[in-house]
Amino acid sequence: MIADDRRREILRRLQIDNYVEAAALSRELGVDASTIRRDLDALARSGQAERTHGGARIAAAPSDIPYAVKESERRQEKVAIARAAATDVSDGQTVILDSGSTTYQIALELRHKQGLTIITNDLRIGKYTATLPNVRLLVTGGELLGSVYTLVGERAVDFLSDYSADWAFLGADAIDPTAGITNTNTLEIPIKRAMIRAAAASIVVADSSKFGSRALAKVAAIEEVGQIITDRAQPIEGLADYGPTVLFA
């Protein structure tokens, strides 16, 4: 098992149990104790874990901001972004909605469309969409990241491989012209990439505070997505470096 896969597995166990023991990880993952120590140290440096004697625990300040906090932050900007994102969606199309508070706003904006198929890994989006008439809802399988209502894992990725969508709307923790679209939680990376592969057009929706910064793990290069929709609440330095992909709501 390569380092990235091993660390994703350690994070998965931390999300479930809140604590991992280094000796048990060494036995179960088939690597020596020094390798596990390096993995745990790397996760601690990235803010995703806290080292303890003999192991690690989930970071006291979680790497994913809880949904209730995200939902209240920059709400006006997120509504404007969602309205711009929903404009080009036509009746009868298939739309993938990534987990997040901005994509939840897109779900609200899509309520007036007819005959949509919506695919999501977000339980809150799924719950809301289930109340809409004339919408076909598909929710990925997978394992729940409770604080953000997100389904992740191999089953979620495999689920998406069976479908083709017209649109995929993805959130992002950070956007940088060199690092590209990045995310704090590595467990979400495979399903975000699967969403991009499954859609004819991939759109990143992110407020302007996300620009010019980098998070831990790369989702995609700027040129791998069709468009980035943001707001004008704050200026984006080096806007030209992002190419023609940025659209302001």
Side-chain angles (χ1 to χ4, degrees):
M1 183 181 288
I2 63 174
D4 285 348
D5 290 341
R6 195 170 56 246
R7 290 170 190 176
R8 277 196 291 270
E9 173 60 18
I10 293 171
L11 276 172
R12 187 187 70 83
R13 297 184 185 201
L14 280 168
Q15 292 283 350
I16 296 170
D17 299 326
N18 296 321
Y19 176 80
V20 291
E21 183 184 8
L25 289 172
S26 177
R27 290 193 306 272
E28 293 165 13
L29 300 181
V31 294
D32 60 41
S34 62
T35 299
I36 293 297
R37 284 196 295 271
R38 286 194 295 272
D39 289 337
L40 296 179
D41 288 342
L43 293 174
R45 286 194 300 271
S46 71
Q48 295 181 289
E50 291 181 1
R51 289 289 267 121
T52 65
H53 179 69
R57 64 189 174 201
I58 196 73
S63 55
D64 274 315
I65 301 171
Y67 211 115
V69 176
K70 286 185 177 182
E71 192 174 25
S72 62
E73 289 182 335
R74 300 180 177 87
R75 184 177 178 83
Q76 185 175 348
E77 290 86 349
K78 291 174 181 178
V79 170
I81 292 168
R83 285 176 180 166
T87 299
D88 291 331
V89 176
S90 300
D91 292 349
Q93 291 191 315
T94 297
V95 179
I96 297 173
L97 294 177
D98 187 17
S99 176
S101 54
T102 307
T103 48
Y104 183 85
Q105 289 297 327
I106 295 175
L108 298 182
E109 293 298 325
L110 293 176
R111 67 189 181 277
H112 302 302
K113 308 287 183 178
Q114 299 297 315
L116 294 182
T117 296
I118 292 180
I119 303 172
T120 188
N121 69 323
D122 185 307
L123 293 186
R124 281 175 55 101
I125 291 175
K127 181 180 178 181
Y128 169 73
T129 305
T131 68
L132 301 178
N134 302 317
V135 171
R136 183 185 184 195
L137 172 64
L138 301 172
V139 179
T140 70
E143 188 171 333
L144 178 66
L145 300 181
S147 66
V148 287
Y149 299 92
T150 304
L151 295 169
V152 297
E154 291 183 8
R155 290 188 178 182
V157 172
D158 290 344
F159 180 94
L160 285 166
S161 68
D162 290 333
Y163 294 94
S164 296
D166 298 290
W167 303 92
F169 294 102
L170 295 94
D173 288 337
I175 303 174
D176 178 84
T178 302
I181 315 301
T182 54
N183 202 69
T184 302
N185 194 326
T186 58
L187 296 175
E188 296 181 76
I189 301 302
I191 192 165
K192 287 177 180 286
R193 291 176 177 166
M195 289 175 176
I196 292 172
R197 291 192 299 269
S202 300
I203 312 297
V204 172
V205 289
D207 67 75
S208 54
S209 70
K210 306 290 181 66
F211 283 74
S213 60
R214 306 181 182 195
L216 175 65
K218 184 174 183 177
V219 176
I222 297 290
E223 58 269 21
E224 290 181 84
V225 298
Q227 199 167 64
I228 303 170
I229 303 178
T230 191
D231 60 82
R232 297 182 182 273
Q234 60 188 58
I236 298 173
E237 293 185 10
L239 181 60
D241 295 335
Y242 294 89
T245 58
V246 179
L247 172 68
F248 289 98

